[in-house]
């Protein structure tokens, strides 16, 4: 059973920085994508950034140049460095893993979410 554990959320002033980490446990296939989504109150969950294992990363337009996603493959982790945070970045941030087996069956896993609050 795959589990994702997130850490690093919190309260920060506008212009500040936070780093989110997500560690996967259990069987993770080598073909996988790990990333971050966020959901603000009253809004739908949206992609922030994701990273294909040994492949490209994708960023939402609203975080380009401010956020950086990286992977630590030995620890099965994905890290999101967030700089120049703004109040509109306030949301619950969720880690997501898509893991694809050798039979090309893919499963999605979600973390429990971590709150990021940016004050003005």
């Amino acid at each position: 059973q795959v589990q994702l554990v997130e850490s690093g959320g919190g309260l920060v002033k506008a212009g500040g920085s936070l780093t989110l980490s997500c560690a996967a446990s259990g069987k993770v296939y080598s073909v996988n994508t790990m990333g971050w989504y966020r959901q603000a109150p009253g809004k739908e969950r949206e992609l922030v950034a994701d990273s294909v294992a040994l492949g490209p990363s994708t960023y939402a337009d609203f975080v380009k140049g401010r956020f950086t996603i990286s992977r630590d493959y030995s620890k099965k982790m994905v890290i999101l460095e967030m700089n120049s945070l703004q109040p509109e970045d306030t949301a619950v941030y969720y880690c997501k893993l898509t893991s694809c087996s050798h039979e090309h069956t893919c499963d999605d896993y979600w973390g429990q979410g971590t709150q990021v609050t940016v004050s003005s």
Side-chain angles (χ1 to χ4, degrees), residues 6 20 36-38 48 82 89 91-95 113-114 116:
E6 301 143 336
L20 305 182
W36 293 92
Y37 287 69
R38 71 184 188 186
V48 176
M82 305 185 293
D89 294 316
V92 178
Y93 284 69
Y94 295 91
C95 177
T114 185
V116 171

Side-chain angles (χ1 to χ4, degrees), residues 25-103:
S25 62
K27 175 64 176 179
V28 178
Y29 291 101
S30 59
V31 177
N32 66 78
T33 299
M34 293 189 78
W36 293 92
Y37 287 69
R38 71 184 188 186
Q39 188 166 21
K43 294 187 177 181
E44 294 188 353
R45 192 172 297 189
E46 59 185 355
L47 172 70
V48 176
D50 66 16
S51 174
V52 177
L54 302 178
S57 298
T58 300
Y59 292 91
D61 286 343
F62 54 78
V63 302
K64 285 182 179 177
R66 300 190 298 129
F67 293 9
T68 302
I69 191 168
S70 60
R71 302 281 298 266
D72 184 332
Y73 297 103
S74 65
K75 297 180 181 177
K76 292 187 285 187
M77 290 183 65
V78 62
I79 298 118
L80 185 69
E81 297 179 36
M82 305 185 293
N83 299 309
S84 302
L85 284 161
Q86 299 301 317
E88 52 266 34
D89 294 316
T90 295
V92 178
Y93 284 69
Y94 295 91
C95 177
K96 179 184 178 184
L97 164 67
T98 299
S99 181
C100 300
S101 70
H102 302 302
E103 291 77 32

